[in-house]
């Protein structure tokens, strides 16, 4: 059943994506990022989200902690743990998994640094966190374009935004757009 669901998920993404530019590893990433609604019901949104993130090489910091959890085997159990920060540096997360963020109401900080599979769709999906997200870094994500950065205008509670090393960004005019749309946010561009 799991294999059938994964193949079906990959085929749905295949239909909506320019398949000629996607590698075999991309399709594996899609499978590892898939959302399991039953798992979310069983564990709650924060623990299920943490499992997804750690399974794909990211780390989380809980609201009651100062340290990042990076080891999947050291995830806590129980419903009293809430994700406050996500460090997805060099991870394999992609937009397919971003629905895991639904119900995670305490995430204030997200770092997307050198994430190969982060793209415009992921930037749009970050709006799931618009009520809690205050700090965002998008650095070295080669598939993020101006179009994707425009989607960040929805993140009205952002206090800091760092954008650097995005080779697919056409020009620096996006920084001006974001400054106008998010006047309370300190934006560092390029």
């Amino acid at each position: 059943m799991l294999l059938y669901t994964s193949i079906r998920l990959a085929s749905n993404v295949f239909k909506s994506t320019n398949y000629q530019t996607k590698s075999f590893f991309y399709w594996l990433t899609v499978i590892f990022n898939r959302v399991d609604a039953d798992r979310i019901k069983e564990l709650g949104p924060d623990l299920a989200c943490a499992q997804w993130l750690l399974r794909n090489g990211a780390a989380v910091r809980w609201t009651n902690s100062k340290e990042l959890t990076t080891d999947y085997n050291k995830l806590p159990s129980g419903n009293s743990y809430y994700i406050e920060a996500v460090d997805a540096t060099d991870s394999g997360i992609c937009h397919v998994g971003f629905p895991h963020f639904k119900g995670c109401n305490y995430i204030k900080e997200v770092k997307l640094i050198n994430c190969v599979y982060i793209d415009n769709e992921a930037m749009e999906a970050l709006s799931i966190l618009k009520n809690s997200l205050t700090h965002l870094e998008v650095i070295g994500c080669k598939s993020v374009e101006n179009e994707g950065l425009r989607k960040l205008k929805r993140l009205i509670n952002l206090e800091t935004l760092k954008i650097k090393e995005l080779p697919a960004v056409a020009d620096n005019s996006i920084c001006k757009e974001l400054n106008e749309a998010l006047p309370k946010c300190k934006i560092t561009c390029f």
Side-chain angles (χ1 to χ4, degrees):
M1 181 65 177
L2 176 62
L3 180 60
Y4 171 76
T5 304
S6 299
I7 292 169
R8 193 179 70 209
L9 174 64
S11 70
N12 287 342
V13 173
F14 182 76
K15 291 175 189 173
S16 67
T17 310
N18 181 358
Y19 65 89
Q20 293 176 341
T21 63
K22 303 298 182 189
S23 71
F24 173 73
F25 292 107
Y26 172 80
W27 300 113
L28 284 178
T29 300
V30 167
I31 291 168
F32 283 119
N33 277 271
R34 72 176 178 76
V35 176
D36 183 347
D38 292 333
R39 193 79 174 144
I40 294 170
K41 286 179 188 174
E42 178 186 338
L43 297 175
D46 286 272
L47 286 176
C49 183
Q51 282 188 351
W52 160 64
L53 289 163
L54 271 63
R55 184 174 58 237
N56 285 285
V60 299
R61 188 180 74 237
W62 304 102
T63 54
N64 59 352
S65 177
K66 293 184 180 187
E67 295 184 24
L68 288 172
T69 299
T70 57
D71 186 346
Y72 187 88
N73 295 314
K74 292 185 179 177
L75 281 171
S77 59
N79 292 332
S80 60
Y81 291 90
Y82 304 101
I83 300 171
E84 183 173 58
V86 174
D87 185 346
T89 300
D90 299 317
S91 74
I93 66 170
C94 72
H95 72 277
V96 172
F98 277 42
H100 281 101
F101 287 132
K102 288 181 184 171
C104 296
N105 301 320
Y106 299 93
I107 298 177
K108 294 180 180 182
E109 179 182 342
V110 173
K111 293 180 181 182
L112 302 171
I113 302 172
N114 299 323
C115 298
V116 175
Y117 303 109
I118 293 297
D119 57 10
N120 294 341
E121 290 180 77
M123 296 296 97
E124 184 170 9
L126 278 172
S127 65
I128 294 169
L129 299 173
K130 70 180 179 182
N131 293 327
S132 63
L133 191 62
T134 57
H135 304 282
L136 175 63
E137 294 182 28
V138 183
I139 300 171
C141 299
K142 295 178 175 147
S143 297
V144 175
E145 303 169 323
N146 286 40
E147 174 190 334
L149 293 177
R150 282 187 183 93
K151 304 300 182 184
L152 300 180
K153 294 177 186 179
R154 298 176 183 161
L155 302 175
I156 55 173
N157 289 317
L158 276 184
E159 295 172 8
T160 61
L161 172 61
K162 291 182 184 177
I163 302 169
K164 293 182 0 181
E165 302 166 21
L166 304 176
V169 172
D171 56 53
N172 291 347
S173 65
I174 190 64
C175 294
K176 183 179 178 184
E177 280 184 52
L178 290 170
N179 275 311
E180 290 172 2
L182 302 168
K184 297 178 184 177
C185 183
K186 179 184 176 192
I187 300 175
T188 306
C189 284
F190 307 96

